[in-house]
Amino acid sequence: MIIPLRVLIVEDNPDDVELAILHLTGGGFQPDWQRVETEAEYLSALELLPELILSDWSLPGFSGLRALQLLTESGLDIPFIIVSGGIGEEAAIDALRKGADDYVLKDRP
């Protein structure tokens, strides 16, 4: 059974987006996805009420932590998962304390 899923991906690397989509598809999901790189794009995409947010930790001019903060401030209840290649253990724990649902390392999805 294939499960439709609206996904918002906060990522500046198109190759990493492709990998995320492949993993979701391989997990039985049919992702309807949108990629954003800036705070303005992110806020606009939140209005479409995604069912899942996958966010890189660090982007030029934007960050996963800021995206998490904006989600929290919005009052929306959307699962938020950090997908990063460079997040340290302390930063990951801090993000979980601030409301992230989980984190995944890009090299071990």
Side-chain angles (χ1 to χ4, degrees):
M1 181 168 135
I2 297 175
I3 303 165
L5 183 66
R6 287 185 322 276
V7 183
L8 175 56
I9 303 174
V10 182
E11 176 62 68
D12 60 325
N13 184 334
D15 292 337
D16 288 342
V17 173
E18 279 187 47
L19 271 174
I21 297 305
L22 283 173
H23 285 289
L24 288 170
T25 303
F29 295 96
Q30 181 180 15
D32 174 14
W33 58 275
Q34 178 180 3
R35 177 174 72 101
V36 299
E37 295 184 47
T38 68
E39 185 171 320
E41 291 172 336
Y42 178 76
L43 289 171
S44 178
L46 281 181
E47 294 176 10
L48 301 174
L49 301 175
E51 296 171 296
L52 173 66
I53 298 171
L54 301 176
S55 178
D56 191 3
W57 184 244
S58 178
L59 297 92
F62 194 40
S63 73
L65 190 57
R66 178 66 179 149
L68 178 60
Q69 178 185 17
L70 291 167
L71 176 63
T72 302
E73 290 172 1
S74 77
L76 296 171
D77 185 20
I78 301 169
F80 188 98
I81 299 173
I82 296 168
V83 182
S84 178
I87 190 171
E89 189 174 328
E90 277 186 38
I93 290 169
D94 185 46
L96 293 171
R97 286 187 180 136
K98 291 181 177 173
D101 292 279
D102 206 349
Y103 74 94
V104 177
L105 298 176
K106 287 182 180 178
D107 63 348
R108 289 183 270 157

